[in-house]
Amino acid sequence: MPNGKLSGKPSRQLLFSEAITQSKPMKTQMATPGPMPTPTDPPAPEATERILQEIASVGRHLKATDQKITDLTIASSPICADIAGFKDTADSLDQRLTTVEDQMAILPDQEIELRSLRAKVTDLEDRSCRDNIRLFGIPERKEGPDTKAFLQPLLPDLFGIEF
């Protein structure tokens, strides 16, 4: 188009096979002046042959594309399996994390209860030791099976008190 005007020459349309080999998009054909062919006119044999070649070329490209898609599907199958495994692992970890978070939420209450129970145990141990009497100088196991019968005559003598 010199000077922005149409040159009057029709541009040639790239065929599909030419566009593929040149890696260019197909161009549209400008209408050429002249009589339009009527539907009753038989197409030229070379035009029919060219159309058949183009159809065959498109078919070959479709088969190649179909094979590539099949190859990609086969190649991506292990990746899909790995992704499914990762999803299962992530779900498991999410469940475990939720369990840990739930347990962590009750820890402060359990810590308070633990401190209270420790204080009670210490108090009970201290109280149980306060009322015990220790007697020194009496051999071990001297009391026999009945400690009360052994101590009843012994204690008044030791302390000098009548009970």
Side-chain angles (χ1 to χ4, degrees):
M1 285 195 309
N3 299 330
K5 296 181 183 177
L6 292 175
S7 66
K9 294 182 185 176
S11 66
R12 184 174 168 277
Q13 180 180 8
L14 285 176
L15 297 173
F16 180 76
S17 58
E18 294 170 340
I20 293 293
T21 57
Q22 296 177 8
S23 296
K24 294 181 180 177
M26 294 175 43
K27 296 181 182 175
T28 57
Q29 183 178 11
M30 293 178 50
T32 58
M36 294 289 287
T38 60
T40 58
D41 292 343
E46 59 274 350
T48 304
E49 184 63 32
R50 192 171 175 125
I51 290 171
L52 290 174
Q53 289 173 353
E54 284 301 308
I55 290 172
S57 174
V58 169
R60 284 190 302 275
H61 286 290
L62 286 175
K63 284 181 184 177
T65 303
D66 186 45
Q67 183 59 44
K68 289 178 183 176
I69 290 172
T70 302
D71 292 346
L72 283 173
T73 303
I74 292 169
S76 66
S77 293
I79 295 170
C80 291
D82 288 345
I83 290 172
F86 292 145
K87 182 188 177 302
D88 292 343
T89 302
D91 290 343
S92 171
L93 290 174
D94 183 48
Q95 180 62 37
R96 290 175 60 192
L97 179 62
T98 302
T99 303
V100 168
E101 286 174 342
D102 291 345
Q103 291 173 349
M104 292 294 291
I106 61 172
L107 272 181
D109 295 337
Q110 288 179 339
E111 187 175 345
I112 292 169
E113 185 179 0
L114 179 64
R115 287 181 185 167
S116 171
L117 290 173
R118 280 186 180 162
K120 285 182 180 181
V121 166
T122 303
D123 183 53
L124 288 172
E125 286 176 346
D126 289 347
R127 286 177 189 260
S128 70
C129 290
R130 284 185 205 147
D131 295 334
N132 290 345
I133 299 174
R134 292 184 144 194
L135 300 174
F136 295 99
I138 300 173
E140 291 265 338
R141 309 262 187 255
K142 177 93 178 183
E143 72 274 6
D146 190 9
T147 306
K148 184 178 176 185
F150 173 75
L151 289 177
Q152 277 179 343
L154 182 64
L155 287 178
D157 289 341
L158 288 174
F159 294 114
I161 302 172
E162 223 23 77
F163 293 104

